[in-house]
Amino acid sequence: MAFEIIDFHTHPFSDEKNNICSHKEFIPMDAAFSMDVLKGLGISKICGSVVSRDNDKYETLFDKIKENNDEALKLKEYYKGFYVPGFHIHPNFPEESISEIKRMNKEGVKLIGEIIPYMDGWKDYGDDKLYEILNEAGKHNMVISFHTIPENITGIEKMVKEHPDLVFVAAHPGEYPTLMMHFDLAKKYDNYYLDLSGTGITRYGMLKRAIDVFSADRILFGSDYPTCNPAMFVGGVVNDALIKDSDKEKILSLNAKRLLDL
Ligand SMILES: [Zn+2]
């Protein structure tokens, strides 16, 4: 069976500073190259935020966030329907973050993140200042993709619990202890989802077990390109004989379509 594949977790780039591949010096990478690689693997759409690490060159961290969000909108134009942008918010800048939510809503953008606190100089999902920002996101029915920080489990739980109407997609199943943490939260909160990018899916049986806990309705295919090799993730889901085709379909595309109105 041929599956439609939407990669829910990528970090697209058009220039060097937003390319977070660790091996980029050895590969001629640009925006066109990314599309060739991903489409070559059968991926018909990608989602996610533009990121950068060089925080020192900005006067305030929100300047960086704004620049990355602007870049996401530019890439949306460049890629036409291939790229579904995600954008950043920051708890230290509540007013500015709320304006970004309003601006992105006008642009038809529904995805916040992947938000990655350690890259943007913050660390607590339980920060009270996030509450107001996420309330605004709730008014527009947005979806939050967030980087899993196992040490911040209390913060994660608070964020998910305080906003039962918002969907939170945790990025990266992680190794066994982190996976168990995801399972605990998935059992308690229906608005807690998981994307398969990063560490986790190479462990045999992990996906099958995650489906038993989350159900296939709350798991999304993601690769974390260009940090990770998307070929591994396509193979890990498409070729997993433990998983029913109907569950693969949900994970590979139907859930992303439902959440982001694609
Ligand atoms: Zn990521």
Side-chain angles (χ1 to χ4, degrees):
M1 167 166 191
F3 296 98
E4 180 180 356
I5 306 176
I6 298 175
D7 191 337
F8 183 78
H9 188 135
T10 66
H11 299 290
F13 56 88
S14 65
D15 68 15
E16 187 69 7
K17 78 173 173 16
N18 300 119
N19 180 358
I20 54 171
C21 174
S22 302
H23 309 288
K24 60 186 174 187
E25 304 92 89
F26 301 91
I27 315 161
M29 297 173 85
D30 60 19
F33 172 92
S34 296
M35 187 152 77
D36 284 350
V37 166
L38 294 156
K39 283 197 167 169
L41 290 165
I43 294 169
S44 58
K45 262 186 212 314
I46 60 170
C47 315
S49 60
V50 171
V51 296
S52 57
R53 296 183 194 275
D54 195 7
N55 290 353
D56 298 339
K57 83 177 243 256
Y58 300 91
E59 203 170 306
T60 78
L61 285 171
F62 208 81
D63 292 342
K64 181 183 101 160
I65 278 178
K66 186 80 173 24
E67 189 178 293
N68 287 342
N69 290 350
D70 288 344
E71 183 64 20
L73 291 178
K74 277 187 215 148
L75 280 164
K76 179 181 175 236
E77 290 302 307
Y78 171 81
Y79 279 131
K80 314 269 187 302
F82 178 64
Y83 169 49
V84 179
F87 66 99
H88 300 278
I89 51 168
H90 196 305
N92 295 355
F93 302 91
E95 263 174 49
E96 294 87 340
S97 295
I98 288 172
S99 310
E100 280 301 86
I101 290 174
K102 290 178 178 164
R103 172 169 84 114
M104 290 294 175
N105 182 53
K106 282 194 193 124
E107 297 283 345
V109 178
K110 256 195 97 174
L111 177 62
I112 296 180
E114 184 194 10
I115 48 173
I116 314 176
Y118 75 87
M119 270 197 197
D120 291 342
W122 59 288
K123 51 184 173 209
D124 183 14
Y125 290 119
D127 191 324
D128 283 331
K129 295 196 283 317
L130 260 188
Y131 185 83
E132 207 188 319
I133 299 171
L134 293 177
N135 272 354
E136 184 64 31
K139 289 181 198 163
H140 310 291
N141 205 18
M142 288 180 171
V143 172
I144 323 296
S145 155
F146 70 97
H147 181 78
T148 299
I149 309 173
E151 310 79 63
N152 191 222
I153 167 97
T154 323
I156 294 173
E157 178 158 10
K158 177 170 179 270
M159 172 174 79
V160 173
K161 190 179 179 178
E162 276 177 352
H163 300 279
D165 298 332
L166 275 173
V167 167
F168 292 88
V169 185
H172 322 310
E175 291 293 5
Y176 196 89
T178 305
L179 188 65
M180 295 305 117
M181 181 205 87
H182 288 306
F183 288 173
D184 281 345
L185 292 173
K187 284 174 194 160
K188 284 160 97 171
Y189 306 101
D190 291 340
N191 58 331
Y192 192 82
Y193 286 53
L194 181 68
D195 97 54
L196 297 172
S197 66
T199 316
I201 196 177
T202 55
R203 303 302 181 192
Y204 189 65
M206 177 255 131
L207 181 54
K208 172 87 173 76
R209 187 166 177 182
I211 291 171
D212 287 345
V213 178
F214 278 85
S215 95
D217 296 315
R218 286 196 283 157
I219 298 175
L220 290 103
F221 174 82
S223 69
D224 216 351
Y225 173 86
T227 302
C228 298
N229 179 356
M232 301 289 296
F233 295 83
V234 171
V237 177
V238 171
N239 297 331
D240 192 333
L242 301 173
I243 315 299
K244 291 188 292 195
D245 280 355
S246 57
D247 284 349
K248 288 181 186 175
E249 266 189 302
K250 290 177 178 176
I251 293 165
L252 291 166
S253 67
L254 296 181
N255 295 338
K257 285 183 176 178
R258 185 184 84 236
L259 292 182
L260 298 174
D261 298 329
L262 303 177

